[in-house]
């Protein structure tokens, strides 16, 4: 959070925030396996995606929950039978995006309102197999995703149209993704490197 100079982070145990005055745990995960967090800078609410521990039946089940500020109360807004791999938001237009992967090796990008309502799969996208990381260009209103299996980075507009491949070879299995101004940046599994590429005519 730029205005408060605060960093929010998630570990296997909890969600916390840290600044010049120290670190404070704001939520204990218990039986959840986290995959991503996102911050609504307008409200201070933290969005958390996680895999629910379902060792008893062996079925995947993921959730997205909102941890509200300042009470740190939580509410589930999304439940799905797939594995949620990442989530991002553009609170200026009130949209939330998340990526899912299922054991059938099919993936998808989903858009919803900030409260999880009006969720819809961006059906027009093709060749989305294992989306592992997301990033947004809120100016051009484009969503980017890295595919763990294809080793590519692609993008489309907020409606799922105008899809294009941005990076045709990520030089390994991508793990994380970010966008700043006109550059896309990503990290790779088992590599001590961060890659960056300029985007032309984004």
């Amino acid at each position: 959070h730029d205005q408060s100079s605060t960093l929010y982070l998630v570990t296997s145990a909890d969600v916390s925030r840290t600044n010049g005055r120290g670190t404070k745990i704001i939520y204990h995960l218990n039986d959840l396996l986290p995959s991503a967090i996102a911050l609504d800078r307008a409200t201070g609410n933290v969005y958390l995606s996680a895999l629910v521990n379902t060792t008893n039946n062996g079925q995947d089940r993921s959730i997205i929950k909102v941890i509200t500020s300042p009470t740190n109360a939580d509410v589930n807004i999304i439940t799905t039978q797939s594995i949620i791999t990442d989530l991002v938001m553009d609170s200026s237009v009130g949209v939330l995006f998340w990526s899912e992967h299922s054991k059938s090796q099919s993936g998808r990008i989903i858009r919803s309102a900030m409260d999880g309502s009006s969720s819809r799969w961006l059906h027009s996208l093709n060749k989305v197999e294992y989306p592992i990381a997301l990033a947004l260009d809120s100016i051009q209103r484009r969503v980017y995703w890295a595919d763990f299996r294809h080793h590519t980075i692609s993008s489309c507009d907020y409606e799922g149209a105008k899809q294009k491949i941005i990076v045709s070879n990520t030089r390994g299995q991508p793990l994380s993704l970010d966008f700043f101004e006109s550059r896309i940046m990503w990290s790779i599994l088992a590599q001590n490197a961060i890659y960056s590429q300029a985007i032309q005519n984004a």
Side-chain angles (χ1 to χ4, degrees), residues 11 17 24 26 31 36 40 42-43 45 50 57 70 72 86 96 115 117-118 144-145 149-150 163 180 188 192 201:
T11 69
R17 62 174 176 255
K24 179 180 181 181
I26 61 174
D31 61 346
D40 180 354
T43 64
N45 292 342
N57 57 27
N72 297 337
D86 202 3
L96 179 70
D115 62 358
S117 64
S118 305
Y144 294 81
W145 67 93
R149 188 158 285 117
H150 290 296
Q163 181 179 353
F180 181 70
I188 298 294
N192 294 325
N201 300 319

Side-chain angles (χ1 to χ4, degrees), residues 3-24:
Q3 292 181 348
S4 61
S5 299
T6 302
L7 176 68
Y8 289 76
L9 62 151
V10 61
T11 69
S12 59
D14 52 55
V15 178
S16 59
R17 62 174 176 255
T18 183
N19 54 30
R21 296 184 298 275
T23 300
K24 179 180 181 181

Side-chain angles (χ1 to χ4, degrees), residues 98-186:
W98 68 92
S99 52
E100 291 186 358
H101 171 71
S102 67
K103 289 181 178 178
S104 62
Q105 298 185 354
S106 62
R108 58 187 182 177
I109 312 296
I110 300 175
R111 169 185 166 161
S112 78
M114 298 285 287
D115 62 358
S117 64
S118 305
S119 64
R120 62 184 178 90
W121 178 12
L122 300 185
H123 287 280
S124 61
L125 301 182
N126 55 48
K127 295 183 180 179
V128 181
E129 190 170 334
Y130 198 148
I132 193 68
L134 298 174
L136 290 184
D137 176 357
S138 59
I139 304 299
Q140 299 293 329
R141 295 190 177 177
R142 294 190 67 83
V143 56
Y144 294 81
W145 67 93
D147 196 296
F148 191 76
R149 188 158 285 117
H150 290 296
H151 301 182
T152 58
I153 298 172
S154 303
S155 77
C156 66
D157 65 23
Y158 280 10
E159 302 301 322
K162 300 179 181 178
Q163 181 179 353
K164 63 176 76 172
I165 294 177
I166 304 299
V167 179
S168 58
N169 184 357
T170 57
R171 305 179 190 179
Q173 294 173 312
L175 281 181
S176 63
L177 189 64
D178 207 350
F179 177 88
F180 181 70
E181 293 184 344
S182 61
R183 300 195 72 86
I184 196 79
M185 294 149 281
W186 68 96

